[in-house]
Amino acid sequence: MTDATTETWLILGATSSMARALARKLAERGAGLLLAGRDMDDLQATAADCSFHNASWAEAIRFDARDPESFGPIVDRMQAETGTLNVAVFVGSMPPQEEIDAQPEMIDGVVSDSFTGPARLVHALAPLLEARGSGTIVGVGSVAGDRGRVGNYVYGAAKAGFHTYMSGLRNRLTRSGAHAVTVKPGFVDTAMTWGLDGMFLVAPPDAVADAILTAERKRKNVIYTPFFWRYIMMIIRAVPEPIFKKLSI
Amino acid sequence: MWKTAEYTGWGRFYRAKGELARPERASALDRIAGEAPCPAIGQRRSYSDGCLNTRGRAIATDRLDRMLGFDEETGVLDVEAGCRLSEILRFFAPRGWLPTVLPGTGFATVGGAIGMDVHGKNHHHVGSFGQHVTGLTLHHPDGRREVLPGDPLFAATIGGMGQTGPIGSARLQMQPVKGPVMMVTERRVPDLDSYLELFDTTEATYTVGWIDATATGGNLGRGIFEEGETGAGLVPPAKRGKRIPMDAPNFALSGPVVRGFNAAYYRRIPDRGRTVVKPLEDFFFPLDKIFDWNRLYGKRGFHQFQCVVPLAARDVLREMLTKVSASGLASPLAVLKRMGPGRAGMMSFPTEGYTLAVDFPARDQAAEMIRRLIAMATEAGGRVYLAKDAFATAAQMDAMYPERADWAALCNGLDPDHAYETDLIRRLDLRAER
Ligand SMILES: Cc1cc2nc3c(=O)[nH]c(=O)nc-3n(C[C@H](O)[C@H](O)[C@H](O)COP(=O)(O)OP(=O)(O)OC[C@H]3O[C@@H](n4cnc5c(N)ncnc54)[C@H](O)[C@@H]3O)c2cc1C
Ligand SMILES: NC(=O)c1ccc[n+]([C@@H]2O[C@H](COP(=O)([O-])OP(=O)(O)OC[C@H]3O[C@@H](n4cnc5c(N)ncnc54)[C@H](OP(=O)(O)O)[C@@H]3O)[C@@H](O)[C@H]2O)c1
């Protein structure tokens, strides 16, 4: 039943401008697109735009990382598609650290959005890819997950958890011929970072989408995007903890 | 949600510093429209201060750039306001459709094209951009509002410089196109009279004329006349764009350099003319391939003077050109065109006559010259284009734009706090109820 000529992509968090850039590029190469998220109105606009741009089909579907009830229909919808199944995870939330400090119960939400919610859905989808022996799961983490910093360590911790999950998933999927790519963006020019202080070397969403497609094609394991963040993070990770704990970067 | 930024219009003469929001979806635009009404701006291809709000806030629309629907039967495209016209062209031309009106830059957005009711090289046939808008959505503090032709709010919005609130999306009547290329006939025109004669008699769908604004005496008004028709044929491969890496030094566009360039540019076309096949983009947006070409004018920036004068005011046109060429201040960019009467808004620029556009590096003498040209245009019963204007005065506005006061009353009724005002509106006191 696997038809190698068709590819279907499920995009979780498809309202993100990074996800939109990826969806547009996938549309241009004729993929089928299932755009998942909370803002149905906006997802429908992106679906229309992708249909224009040559997607073989594009549909919006409801997905709330904090509402597991929304996961089942997505799995069913994916199962119904023939061909290669792929998933790209862009979900995540980064409330200001001060807000979390004032309301520690927010931690659960951040972890659900950036890690456990999408992981739970991906976990239900992985067997489909394994059964077909193909497909890629792209997981967007963050350089913030490479080391905890005072400015956003709850978000960073959720992303670190997600990175570790992705690494294990890759280890699992490779046995069947499917694949998992971990993507660690640096600063990207999106709604999440618009107007935040301290941004530098900010990359356009389009560049991230290109990097993701290259990584998928070359079956890369872990990418930093733009690439130089690999070196920046190497340095940041190398700072000894006694010094690091005194920094505020 | 707000980011403090410094930004400029295309001429880089007027500058602004203020907070910008950049909604990525319609619901985010709704929220801003409700909580902090302020003007929307597009790609800031207006030359002066129409897209600036110093010390205030503005909404950048560049992420609202999706195509929402297309009706193959009627050729109507539903599109978000931040979508660039070049994107619509790139996508639709191979499928047999074109936006009915295209200005000289494809960077202009749908919202900006409506806000200035832009005109194209086919204005004498099809009129202005707004005449092909079949509906638009405004995002007001109390919610979205669909506006259709015939509604007074429609006429206030087209060419309304953002003063009726942010446009989120619009419906555009596209036109079928014969093929993805343009057959362009270029010929030398020796002087102004021959030029105007050609404009008065041509039957071509698209026409435009480059003019050598440095030529004097018997050569006054010489230039290259271009006529275009879309057609089918092999598309020459598009060349990659080039970027101007830095601000040019001040002598780059000095008098002698420009004179030499213009003379060579004129002779480039053989005596008997020639017909060439061009990709549509090259014909419609000849300058867009050189990104950031405005940096050629150096840090101080530049101005464009553009006016339209009635057909009967040929002599004024001649006088203007005489002044410009004698001054030695003009740049290589000068354009002449005959416009038809088509316009869709109360504040639309187009009106029947000849339109002349000349670029000047921003210098004191140039400002002086432009002020004189503006006065001449006013006196001749013409008007200047507010997408370009840097030096007109409030007092000149009512003569140029007879519906201004009615328009102002309508905007003020809708926006009593003047939240949508831009620097241009304040500079020319355009919303005063005199
Ligand atoms: C090289 C070049 C060639 C040009 N050639 C032509 C030409 O041939 N014919 C012509 O008519 N013009 C021409 N122009 C001018 C240009 O087309 C107009 O200035 C146009 O408005 C630019 O669009 P923009 O998206 O950059 O809008 P901006 O310059 O950012 O804004 C223009 C106006 O529209 C309003 N506006 C923008 N978006 C919205 C929105 N979403 N909702 C409400 N209001 C909005 C703004 O408030 C402002 O008043 C040219 C400009 C350049 C640089
Ligand atoms: N921007 C950067 O500099 C940067 C850097 C590194 C990593 N990242 C990561 O890149 C990804 C995309 O982020 P972005 O910058 O494009 O920001 P964004 O626009 O805020 O995107 C976040 C996405 O997650 C979705 N989301 C959040 N909570 C959700 C929930 N409970 N259920 C369903 N969807 C939910 C959002 O959907 P809604 O529209 O419904 O809110 C949105 O689509 C995120 O994972 C982010 O952590 C960003």
Side-chain angles (χ1 to χ4, degrees), chain A residues 15-17 20 24 28 39 41-43 45-46 48-50 52-54 189-191 194-196 204-205, chain B residues 1-3 20-22 24-27 63 65-70 77 80 87 90-92 95 144:
Chain A
T15 53
S16 138
S17 49
R20 255 164 70 177
R24 177 73 87 80
E28 281 174 6
D39 185 339
D41 227 27
D42 188 65
L43 294 169
T46 300
D49 186 71
C50 288
F52 264 121
H53 288 83
N54 199 39
D189 188 12
T190 68
W194 180 258
L196 288 190
Chain B
M1 190 157 77
W2 299 95
K3 174 174 172 170
L20 298 179
R22 188 187 59 188
E24 294 189 339
R25 55 183 99 173
S27 57
R63 289 281 161 94
D65 64 350
R66 287 167 295 188
M67 300 181 193
L68 303 173
F70 181 63
L77 170 68
E80 288 187 317
E87 271 303 297
R90 185 178 72 87
F91 183 77
F92 275 94
R95 292 162 178 80
R144 294 184 200 178

Side-chain angles (χ1 to χ4, degrees), chain B residues 10 40 42-46 50 104 109 111-112 116 118-119 161 167 385:
Chain B
W10 186 243
Q43 289 286 332
R44 303 197 313 275
R45 253 43 190 192
S46 295
T109 63
M116 288 297 177
V118 301
H119 56 273
M161 298 165 282
I167 303 162
Y385 191 6

Side-chain angles (χ1 to χ4, degrees), chain A residues 12-19 36-40 42-43 63-67 70-71 89-94 109 112-114 118 140-144 155 159 162 183-194 196 199 202-203 205 208 225, chain B residues 24-25:
Chain A
L12 299 178
T15 53
S16 138
S17 49
M18 267 183 246
R38 297 180 292 191
D39 185 339
M40 292 307 282
D42 188 65
L43 294 169
F63 162 68
D64 183 341
R66 301 188 192 188
D67 174 18
S70 68
F71 301 174
V89 180
F90 288 90
V91 221
S93 63
M94 188 180 72
S112 307
D113 295 345
S114 309
V140 175
S142 169
V143 293
Y155 169 75
K159 289 293 191 185
F162 188 60
V183 178
K184 299 185 183 179
F187 294 136
V188 189
D189 188 12
T190 68
M192 191 180 267
T193 53
W194 180 258
L196 288 190
M199 293 287 128
V202 181
V208 175
T225 169
Chain B
E24 294 189 339
R25 55 183 99 173

